Amino acid sequence: MAHSDKKAVLNQGVIIFVFLTVLTLLEFFIAITMASVVLLVVIALVKAGLVGYYYMHIYRLNIDDEGGHDSYPYKTGTNRLGLWLFLLSDGFVFAGLAVARFNLLGLTRPHLNQTLGLIVTAVLLISSFFMNRAETSMEHGDRKGFVLGMSITLVLGIAFLLGVVGVEWPQAIHEGITPSSGAEGAIFFMMTGMHAFHVLTGVIFLAVVLRNGMRGLYSGEKHWAVEAAAVYWHFVDVVWIFFYPALYLIGTVVT
Amino acid sequence: MRHFVIVAILVIAMTFLAYFGLVASDLMPVQASAQAVSIDWLWNLELMMISFLFALIVVPMFYSLIVFRRRKGETGDGEHMEGNTTLEVTWTIIPLFIVLAFAYLGAYSLGETRRLDPGAMVINVTAQQFAFSFEYPELGFVSDELYLAVDKQVVLKMTSRDVIHSFWVPEFRIKQDIVPGRVTEYRITPTLLTDEQPFKVRCAELCGASHAYMLSDVRVVTQEDFDVWAAARQEEAAAAAQTPEGRGQALSVANGCLGCHTVDGAAGTGPTWFNLYGRQEQLADGTVVIADDAYIHESIVDPQAKIVAGFESVFMPAYDFTDEQIADIIAYIKTLE
Amino acid sequence: MKTKNPVRRSFLLLLLGGVIGYGLGVGLDVLVTGQLDFAAPLTGMFALLGTSVAYFFGLVGYWGITRGLVWQVIGTLAGGLFVSGIRVLMGLEAFGGFFFSEPAWVFGGLVGGLSFLVGVGAVTDWYKWAKGEPTSEHHHDPEGYVKYFGVSLDHKVIGIQYTVTALLLMGIGGLFAMIFRTELAASQLQFLTTTFRAFDQNGLQFYNTLMSLHGIIMIISILLGVAGMINYLVPLLIGAQDMAFPRLNAFSFWIAVPAAVLLVSALFLGGFDTGWTGYPPLSARSPVGIQMFFLGVFLAGWSSILGGLNLLATVVRMRARGMTAFRMPIFAWAAIATSLISLTATQFIGLSFQLVMFQRLLGMGFFDPTKGGNPVLFQHMFWFYSHPAVYVFVLPGLGIISELLPVFVRKPLYGYRWVAMSSLGIALVGFLVWAHHMFASGMNEYLRVPFMYSTLLVAVPTGVKFFSWVATLWKGKITTPTPMLFVLGAILVFLVGGLTGPPHGTISVDLHLTDTYFVVGHFHDTMFGGYVFPFFAALYYWFPKATGRRMNETLGKLHFWLMTPSFFVLTFAMMRVGLLGMRRRIADYDPLLGFDLSHLIMTIAGYLIFTSVVIFVYNFFHSLKHGELAEGNLWNSRSPEWLVPSPMPVHNYDQAFEVVGEPYDYGLDGSRYVQFEDEKIKDIEG
Ligand code: HEA
Ligand code: HEA
Ligand code: CUA
Ligand SMILES: [Cu+2]
């Protein structure tokens, strides 16, 4: 990676972000016009694929590491595998929640504020974009760019959390959707709550990495922690890419 | 080659031995329903398969242990055999066919048990901790025993008031869980008359402390006897509806009170109702109350308010009856002396 | 305390701690309830904590596990008081029937579990990393037995920690079985009567609690035993210095310890009466104990998940040179298949339990039909893990069988590749069969037949293993020392267990069998045959490798010959009464059914099994000190770990080795599996 031109990589990040934006808007549009579940699922899959490939670099799992078992690149390869296995495992939690959601609610959805949903989704997607910039900067030894990108990501992450827990939840409760009001409420709070918990751990992770980065612990060659934080952060984003349509777009509203 | 011949003979012998041994040891309760026939038939096939496969593995295993054991003084290794693809494919394919066949037969047998008779009588079953009650909607009464006419299919529409229970009469074979919030169906055609010993529905899903005691009698009788019984029940129900204590008794049966409370002084999950009215009741917190109308009323709508000593850990559900209904139940309790 | 012998000292302290803890519990209980009750929930809780803390203090001082336990107690209290405080502020009642209210217990339990990890030191290095401080690459464990009681990063130490914990839990679970089996010995209630009271439960409830805890503790014990075998063996077998993530490995083990404490504490907090399956709505109404059960399983689940993750990374990344996929020892294949399941499916049991916890705490109606919830959904989520989990239990055991057979038969493992692939086959098909536990549950009708097909399909790869084992035995030169006896016992018992699987799988027959003792017989056979027997085989076989001493053969054989027949008697009797109408999970059965004699026999058989394991435990500890010294390649194996001295050196192989042949080529002259670096030099020189 270190050989490729930094600018080209950053540009690639921008292009992917544009794609994601367009797809998200399209999704919203489809939801309010023809409400096609199939299309919504396909779009979510495409978005997840884009993030997984371009932001999370899943292909790096396939790199043949040179160096002995004790070398930094080889260990990083092992760590990368470990992280991905963890994400696979964690993915099952969210898959389980999605199963519960469709089993209990079927093609209905709780009565939620779709605009608010779109806003928090946008916040999270933008944070992924800056996360990618921060990681790319570090890969090319650009500490300043790293710190800037990281800080923005962190702020957006906290904004997302506040948006969900501080705005969405009270609003839902105000609308009569509470944890104990029935299956919709239970599902809504469990899905957003579990996701928010992951965002929270991500925010802590980012903060730790940012601090250590500012103290100069990472370099262009050795920055596994940055990569890990980035991949984890994008994973949380991917989860939301599925949860967002599952909660806000798919199905008809029950009142 | 000689080894193979001996093993083959032994496998056959062992299969027969195992199969007839199993059949002879009478492993199933009596067969008392039409549905049990196809189940027992499949079970019998499974016994054959089990006997054969058991022999197929165990015989060569013990044969090898005896014949190919290392003798005193021997030091070398065994023959160098790494494997044989044909053989591996064979023992993948053959079991594959066996299991596909069994899956097919399983589906067939399941289909047999579900053959429906459109004229089947409907009985509504309500389960709750720890009793069943049986409503005969076409006949208009509720019973705590299940009466069935022989050779007539019935369909039980079952639901639960609290937790999951399961309806099982071993002699009928089939089991079906009873789930709160939904109605599950159980079709059965009894084929065997009961004598003095009734069959028993045994709740087969852990449902709390007294799960072991969640039973009801099942009597299979001739159509004539059934009609006589039904007519008597109907008359009783009609007569009972006229008096408060009659209505109270019907309510107690229909709501499963008698699953926990006995009426003859015997021990039960809850305190007996025998001589309850006016009794001095020792409570768990050490105080004593007199079981008057107000107390019984409270015990029914808010059972946790005053807990009788010795029953702290059992959980009586709260009921929301109307005041008239409760008065009826109290009237019934008063009669139990 | 001047006693030199730490074991004696620790037992003394154990008594003292127990008495003090019990006294504290009684005292506190009197304060809270105003009544003197010698079997109140708090007394048991405090006695348990007091004994265990004092015991470990006697063994290792205030260090490692002792500190962890103390922190767990403090964490639980702090968490509980925190929530109680909040409740006071919210105007709710601060305390509940079991001292704390339910939310306080849950939060306290969780905080306590995490505090344990901090106290024991399992997260110290990560904390340093987060702070940007360096940590040393190699940890030096203290000398002697002490290292087993604190955080060690050495996979061999961790493997042994896992194994001993598994044995301990098996002992607790077995003890519970003995208690409830005694009640079952005759119909009617004998001592667990309705007037019996302990820890706020009457006899019937106490039976249910013991039975449920027996099930879950045995299952957690299996998971830990499996992890023990995998941790100890896989790095040795594939020539790695350690697991891929040693700190994660230590974390995975240590999180299981507070989990076990939580599980046992369920006994004291009113117990729970749902069986190990915890189906709602019943589990939504159980006493607080069920929350401790959920929490315990949840933490133990993380142990399993992270262990699986670690193993997969290890096998993928850390193999010796030349060890291609099909030159791996067969046990490594089994471990891969197992880990794939535990890595992924475990999340589902965690999630399903978590949802019930939240249903209880916040009234979230996931499984509450009155709120639009669906009780059957829980069963799907639960079994999506718990069926594949049964293959987590057996695949390593079957791997042990395949690993040891060639050594004692002196022949290659017949059809190595097929055996290796069948493990993956079982694991993958195993993901598609969960609903066979729900044939009578009232789930959607159309699901039943497809699940019957997939269920029966598992028999095919399992059959491949059996046939390969038989073919391996054929024309060998068989010897039968203790490990081999257990291998043979395993095959026999697992065969019976396996063959009773397909009748369950065919729906119509299962409608008769489900929830009876036939199922109980089926799964004791599969779990004993697939796990307990191979586990003992592995213990007898690798004990010399780990300790440098052999276990006593005579006692080993006695163990085998006592356990195996008793076990067959136990499970055959179970299956017989099951078919005839004996339901599961009942404390009392109808005397009219005529099962008294069968049950008496089962109880006696159970005692005999227990005795045989006690003999084993005696043998184990006795041989540690007095066993015959084990020298050289004891079993004449080709596997690398036997080509280096026993006990295994601290850093495993001082010289790396290269794989130069097939693992099980017994009987092929001049073939070898591995070649060590210095041998290569010799080869070139010579
Ligand atoms: C180690 C654990 C283990 C293992 C390996 C198995 C293996 C199998 N189990 Fe078992 N099972 C349990 C543990 C296990 N089980 C437990 C714990 C429960 C109860 C849980 C509870 O409710 O508490 C249970 C319950 C259970 C049920 C639900 C019963 C009920 O509650 O109604 C079913 C139903 O299908 C089932 C089926 C099977 C099958 C088909 C296999 C197969 O994998 C078996 C395959 C093996 C063979 C078949 C033998 C060898 C094969 C040959 C010799 C080849 C030729 C064979 C043929 C052609 C058939 N099991
Ligand atoms: C590995 C799993 C395992 C093991 C080994 C056992 C072992 C035994 N089990 Fe258990 N059993 C289960 C798993 C297991 N069980 C499960 C999952 C259930 C279902 C629970 C439910 O329905 O929810 C169950 C249920 C169950 C029931 C049904 C209860 C009911 O439905 O009401 C019965 C009844 O007889 C029973 C009996 C026994 C007996 C007699 C033993 C004996 O073999 C026990 C013998 C004792 C030992 C093997 C331990 C001895 C160990 C030591 C002495 C070691 C000490 C060590 C140190 C100090 C280091 N078990
Ligand atoms: Cu109802 Cu068990
Ligand atoms: Cu299963």
Side-chain angles (χ1 to χ4, degrees):
Chain A
M1 282 302 105
H3 311 297
S4 53
D5 181 15
K6 179 177 161 198
K7 208 158 194 181
V9 182
L10 287 179
N11 282 343
Q12 191 194 46
V14 175
I15 295 169
I16 298 306
F17 180 69
V18 171
F19 268 111
L20 289 172
T21 313
V22 172
L23 284 172
T24 307
L25 292 175
L26 185 66
E27 208 174 26
F28 192 74
F29 179 71
I30 290 174
I32 53 176
T33 52
M34 54 189 140
S36 156
V37 177
V38 178
L39 273 181
L40 289 174
V41 171
V42 169
I43 292 179
L45 285 172
V46 172
K47 282 167 74 181
L50 288 175
V51 175
Y53 195 81
Y54 291 103
Y55 282 177
M56 297 166 82
H57 331 288
I58 189 169
Y59 52 84
R60 284 190 192 165
L61 281 175
N62 213 9
I63 297 176
D64 272 330
D65 307 279
E66 57 263 37
H69 284 200
D70 283 332
S71 68
Y72 188 83
Y74 195 86
K75 279 192 172 164
T76 300
T78 309
N79 287 339
R80 196 177 282 137
L81 175 65
L83 179 63
W84 274 96
L85 287 173
F86 176 79
L87 298 184
L88 173 70
S89 175
D90 214 17
F92 271 71
V93 177
F94 294 109
L97 283 172
V99 167
R101 181 246 176 269
F102 283 102
N103 179 286
L104 293 181
L105 306 186
L107 288 184
T108 64
R109 65 182 156 85
H111 179 68
L112 299 168
N113 185 336
Q114 282 186 314
T115 326
L116 208 52
L118 188 62
I119 293 173
V120 293
T121 306
V123 169
L124 202 58
L125 276 182
I126 300 172
S127 82
S128 255
F129 170 71
F130 282 104
M131 184 70 242
N132 180 254
R133 287 185 84 82
E135 192 200 355
T136 310
S137 303
M138 190 37 98
E139 247 163 33
H140 293 85
D142 170 5
R143 270 249 307 279
K144 256 201 195 135
F146 163 77
V147 171
L148 182 67
M150 254 341 224
S151 310
I152 299 178
T153 313
L154 199 59
V155 169
L156 289 174
I158 294 171
F160 175 86
L161 266 183
L162 291 178
V164 170
V165 178
V167 182
E168 285 253 85
W169 282 11
Q171 218 181 60
I173 291 174
H174 185 73
E175 296 270 322
I177 302 176
T178 70
S180 57
S181 66
E184 302 90 38
I187 288 289
F188 169 71
F189 281 96
M190 200 69 205
M191 282 172 80
T192 50
M194 190 65 122
H195 182 259
F197 176 72
H198 280 75
V199 175
L200 180 66
T201 53
V203 164
I204 295 171
F205 194 178
L206 289 182
V208 167
V209 170
L210 176 60
R211 173 170 172 273
N212 284 343
M214 293 204 289
R215 291 167 59 205
L217 259 58
Y218 311 125
S219 67
E221 289 74 42
K222 296 192 173 186
H223 58 269
W224 160 246
V226 178
E227 184 183 334
V231 172
Y232 182 73
W233 190 255
H234 296 308
F235 167 74
V236 176
D237 192 11
V238 168
V239 170
W240 191 252
I241 284 178
F242 290 103
F243 273 22
Y244 166 60
L247 283 173
Y248 294 89
L249 302 181
I250 288 180
T252 50
V253 177
V254 281
T255 40
Chain B
M1 203 59 220
R2 201 194 45 168
H3 291 308
F4 284 112
V5 175
I6 301 177
V7 165
I9 294 172
L10 286 173
V11 166
I12 295 171
M14 175 87 190
T15 305
F16 277 95
L17 217 64
Y19 174 67
F20 288 110
L22 285 171
V23 171
S25 43
D26 252 345
L27 290 175
M28 283 282 190
V30 293
Q31 192 185 66
S33 74
Q35 286 72 13
V37 175
S38 73
I39 291 178
D40 287 359
W41 166 79
L42 185 60
W43 167 248
N44 187 38
L45 282 183
E46 316 241 29
L47 283 185
M48 288 183 197
M49 175 198 67
I50 290 175
S51 311
F52 171 66
L53 290 170
F54 185 72
L56 191 65
I57 304 285
V58 166
V59 168
M61 187 172 143
F62 278 95
Y63 188 84
S64 305
L65 281 181
I66 295 163
V67 177
F68 304 128
R69 70 177 187 281
R70 177 177 298 259
R71 283 164 232 254
K72 267 223 164 68
E74 264 183 326
T75 52
D77 285 348
E79 210 173 292
H80 184 79
M81 294 190 273
E82 287 207 329
N84 177 328
T85 309
T86 327
L87 207 53
E88 296 280 356
V89 172
T90 317
W91 65 46
T92 309
I93 298 284
I94 292 181
L96 183 65
F97 278 113
I98 300 183
V99 296
L100 288 180
F102 267 94
Y104 177 77
L105 295 175
Y108 166 77
S109 158
L110 180 68
E112 285 295 297
T113 64
R114 299 174 52 74
R115 253 193 213 192
L116 57 135
D117 172 356
M121 179 169 69
V122 175
I123 302 175
N124 294 328
V125 179
T126 309
Q128 69 182 50
Q129 286 174 330
F130 299 97
F132 297 97
S133 71
F134 306 97
E135 188 201 359
Y136 291 74
E138 293 154 35
L139 304 170
F141 59 81
V142 179
S143 161
D144 54 0
E145 282 181 309
L146 183 61
Y147 259 71
L148 300 172
V150 74
D151 291 331
K152 289 269 162 39
Q153 192 175 82
V154 289
V155 46
L156 310 186
K157 300 210 184 252
M158 311 192 288
T159 191
S160 163
R161 278 217 172 81
D162 38 39
V163 300
I164 304 175
H165 304 270
S166 190
F167 185 100
W168 186 38
V169 181
E171 291 80 3
F172 293 167
R173 302 291 185 271
I174 298 179
K175 206 177 275 117
Q176 175 62 56
D177 285 3
I178 309 176
V179 186
R182 59 175 73 189
V183 175
T184 48
E185 264 191 20
Y186 184 94
R187 271 179 197 281
I188 206 75
T189 316
T191 52
L192 195 72
L193 294 174
T194 47
D195 40 31
E196 304 89 84
Q197 260 318 309
F199 298 147
K200 288 232 155 72
V201 197
R202 298 172 194 278
C203 172
E205 180 70 46
L206 179 55
C207 52
S210 294
H211 158 64
Y213 303 113
M214 183 160 164
L215 318 161
S216 281
D217 288 350
V218 179
R219 289 183 198 275
V220 182
V221 294
T222 58
Q223 183 69 50
E224 294 79 58
D225 288 353
F226 180 83
D227 292 340
V228 172
W229 174 80
R233 287 287 87 72
Q234 270 168 323
E235 220 165 278
E236 250 171 47
Q242 305 303 317
T243 64
E245 58 269 25
R247 288 195 297 271
Q249 182 177 22
L251 278 170
S252 313
V253 171
N255 289 291
C257 314
L258 303 185
C260 295
H261 298 283
T262 64
V263 294
D264 56 359
T269 310
T272 180
W273 281 358
F274 185 69
N275 275 337
L276 168 62
Y277 193 81
R279 175 163 75 196
Q280 290 213 340
E281 206 63 282
Q282 178 82 40
L283 297 187
D285 58 13
T287 57
V288 175
V289 292
I290 306 277
D292 53 12
D293 289 50
Y295 166 75
I296 295 181
H297 190 290
E298 184 190 45
S299 292
I300 295 171
V301 294
D302 184 10
Q304 308 310 321
K306 297 201 177 72
I307 308 275
V308 180
F311 296 91
E312 292 88 343
S313 45
V314 195
F315 186 78
M316 169 173 157
Y319 289 86
D320 51 340
F321 292 122
T322 61
D323 287 348
E324 293 82 64
Q325 284 175 316
I326 293 181
D328 290 345
I329 293 175
I330 294 175
Y332 168 57
I333 291 178
K334 279 184 189 163
T335 63
L336 300 170
E337 285 178 341
Chain C
M1 215 145 299
K2 272 267 163 74
T3 330
K4 276 233 185 73
N5 184 338
V7 178
R8 204 168 301 153
R9 183 179 61 200
S10 58
F11 275 111
L12 268 174
L13 279 173
L14 177 147
L15 280 179
L16 201 67
V19 171
I20 294 177
Y22 183 74
L24 262 174
V26 173
L28 200 63
D29 186 65
V30 171
L31 275 184
V32 175
T33 63
Q35 276 171 348
L36 191 61
D37 180 354
F38 291 108
L42 283 182
T43 55
M45 197 78 169
F46 275 85
L48 170 80
L49 293 172
T51 32
S52 41
V53 170
Y55 176 71
F56 289 115
F57 184 77
L59 276 181
V60 295
Y62 186 64
W63 180 78
I65 186 170
T66 323
R67 199 165 54 168
L69 286 170
V70 170
W71 278 58
Q72 182 171 11
V73 175
I74 295 173
T76 310
L77 288 176
L81 286 174
F82 176 71
V83 174
S84 307
I86 291 185
R87 285 173 70 88
V88 171
L89 292 183
M90 289 169 63
L92 299 167
E93 221 170 303
F95 294 101
F98 297 96
F99 187 61
F100 281 139
S101 59
E102 181 165 331
W105 271 119
V106 174
F107 188 70
L110 190 63
V111 174
L114 299 179
S115 307
F116 179 98
L117 291 167
V118 178
V120 79
V123 293
T124 314
D125 277 3
W126 291 335
Y127 184 58
K128 285 187 182 162
W129 289 356
K131 283 200 304 190
E133 287 172 17
T135 54
S136 67
E137 275 293 312
H138 286 287
H139 269 240
H140 291 284
D141 291 328
E143 279 302 309
Y145 73 93
V146 174
K147 66 168 174 276
Y148 294 105
F149 294 91
V151 173
S152 164
L153 303 187
D154 179 353
H155 75 97
K156 296 187 293 301
V157 175
I158 295 176
I160 290 167
Q161 288 173 329
Y162 264 123
T163 305
V164 174
T165 316
L167 280 172
L168 199 72
L169 285 183
M170 195 201 255
I172 298 176
L175 203 64
F176 289 170
M178 293 306 100
I179 300 174
F180 74 69
R181 265 287 10 138
T182 309
E183 172 57 57
L184 286 172
S187 56
Q188 313 288 24
L189 295 175
Q190 279 76 37
F191 65 99
L192 295 179
T193 53
T194 42
T195 51
F196 169 98
R197 286 207 79 70
F199 315 125
D200 216 32
Q201 298 157 65
N202 70 22
L204 288 171
Q205 291 166 316
F206 202 62
Y207 176 92
N208 283 348
T209 304
L210 287 177
M211 176 272 296
S212 314
L213 275 177
H214 162 71
I216 194 66
I217 286 183
M218 283 300 195
I219 283 170
I220 301 290
S221 153
I222 295 188
L223 291 176
L224 299 186
V226 161
M229 293 194 281
I230 287 181
N231 255 298
Y232 192 84
L233 294 176
V234 169
L236 296 187
L237 293 175
I238 66 171
Q241 297 285 354
D242 206 319
M243 298 288 275
F245 309 114
R247 288 172 188 80
L248 191 67
N249 203 18
F251 181 85
S252 312
F253 167 70
W254 285 105
I255 198 172
V257 177
V261 173
L262 282 170
L263 279 179
V264 176
S265 68
L267 177 68
F268 306 117
L269 295 183
F272 61 104
D273 55 4
T274 62
W276 77 282
T277 48
Y279 282 4
L282 187 59
S283 58
R285 304 165 157 232
S286 285
V288 187
I290 191 124
Q291 295 279 25
M292 298 294 118
F293 157 70
F294 286 155
L295 263 183
V297 174
F298 191 78
L299 294 189
W302 275 103
S303 164
S304 202
I305 292 169
L306 298 174
L309 186 161
N310 212 339
L311 181 276
L312 287 173
T314 307
V315 179
V316 173
R317 305 284 298 178
M318 316 282 280
R319 275 167 299 155
R321 230 161 2 121
M323 187 176 282
T324 54
F326 287 111
R327 281 182 170 178
M328 284 199 297
I330 203 80
F331 185 72
W333 277 108
I336 291 178
T338 296
S339 301
L340 281 173
I341 298 173
S342 49
L343 175 72
T344 55
T346 312
Q347 297 285 9
F348 264 69
I349 192 175
L351 184 62
S352 63
F353 281 4
Q354 203 183 332
L355 295 185
V356 184
M357 286 173 82
F358 276 91
Q359 173 165 340
R360 290 177 62 110
L361 291 175
L362 302 177
M364 296 171 105
F366 301 105
F367 309 119
D368 179 354
T370 59
K371 287 190 173 162
N374 177 4
V376 177
L377 171 64
F378 174 89
Q379 300 179 19
H380 280 294
M381 297 177 92
F382 177 82
W383 289 115
F384 184 81
Y385 165 72
S386 295
H387 180 83
V390 307
Y391 299 120
V392 173
F393 307 160
V394 294
L395 287 171
L398 306 188
I400 295 283
I401 299 177
S402 309
E403 191 74 42
L404 299 194
L405 264 187
V407 180
F408 294 107
V409 179
R410 315 301 310 162
K411 266 184 67 205
L413 178 64
Y414 200 87
Y416 165 90
R417 281 174 187 236
W418 290 79
V419 177
M421 285 299 113
S422 68
S423 291
L424 286 185
I426 293 173
L428 296 183
V429 182
F431 268 101
L432 306 175
V433 308
W434 73 88
H436 66 211
H437 295 272
M438 305 163 59
F439 284 148
S441 71
M443 66 172 176
N444 290 336
E445 287 290 325
Y446 62 85
L447 288 177
R448 297 208 284 195
V449 170
F451 274 103
M452 166 168 62
Y453 274 91
S454 58
T455 297
L456 293 177
L457 226 49
V458 186
V460 176
T462 318
V464 168
K465 284 193 193 290
F466 274 96
F467 296 125
S468 299
W469 293 333
V470 171
T472 307
L473 283 168
W474 191 251
K475 298 216 168 151
K477 290 260 182 289
I478 304 169
T479 51
T480 50
T482 312
M484 179 62 168
L485 283 179
F486 277 94
V487 167
L488 295 170
I491 299 179
L492 215 57
V493 173
F494 187 61
L495 179 65
V496 177
L499 287 175
T500 47
H504 282 123
T506 42
I507 303 160
S508 62
V509 174
D510 185 57
L511 295 181
H512 180 61
L513 303 180
T514 185
D515 273 318
T516 65
Y517 264 60
F518 192 84
V519 182
V520 177
H522 158 72
F523 68 69
H524 280 91
D525 266 336
T526 45
M527 299 213 259
F528 260 79
Y531 166 77
V532 177
F533 276 85
F535 183 57
F536 282 131
L539 282 168
Y540 283 105
Y541 184 84
W542 276 290
F543 184 88
K545 191 78 252 167
T547 64
R549 287 177 189 275
R550 300 184 66 153
M551 274 207 248
N552 183 306
E553 253 324 270
T554 320
L555 287 178
K557 294 216 154 107
L558 184 63
H559 172 199
F560 177 80
W561 287 112
L562 195 56
M563 180 159 124
T564 313
S566 318
F567 185 72
F568 272 114
V569 169
L570 174 72
T571 54
F572 281 139
M574 280 175 172
M575 291 187 209
R576 195 185 88 88
V577 294
L579 285 169
L580 288 172
M582 175 77 194
R583 296 168 287 157
R584 290 173 76 168
R585 297 170 171 170
I586 53 178
D588 183 8
Y589 43 94
D590 198 343
L592 291 179
L593 289 168
F595 293 155
D596 281 66
L597 182 62
S598 300
H599 272 293
L600 182 63
I601 292 173
M602 276 185 249
T603 301
I604 294 172
Y607 283 141
L608 291 179
I609 299 170
F610 193 86
T611 315
S612 74
V613 184
V614 170
I615 295 174
F616 163 83
V617 170
Y618 170 77
N619 191 352
F620 188 96
F621 285 105
H622 188 77
S623 306
L624 270 182
K625 271 229 170 111
H626 311 289
E628 186 190 326
L629 282 180
E631 270 151 26
N633 191 343
L634 208 59
W635 314 108
N636 199 7
S637 159
R638 294 162 56 86
S639 195
E641 81 274 19
W642 290 106
L643 307 179
V644 297
S646 307
M648 203 66 198
V650 179
H651 293 296
N652 295 356
Y653 301 102
D654 291 332
Q655 308 143 27
F657 62 74
E658 188 177 347
V659 173
V660 295
E662 305 294 326
Y664 303 109
D665 266 342
Y666 292 98
L668 187 65
D669 281 340
S671 84
R672 59 208 297 198
Y673 179 37
V674 297
Q675 189 175 39
F676 282 90
E677 226 117 66
D678 65 341
E679 291 176 291
K680 224 181 303 176
I681 299 164
K682 260 185 245 150
D683 279 356
I684 296 166
E685 284 170 352

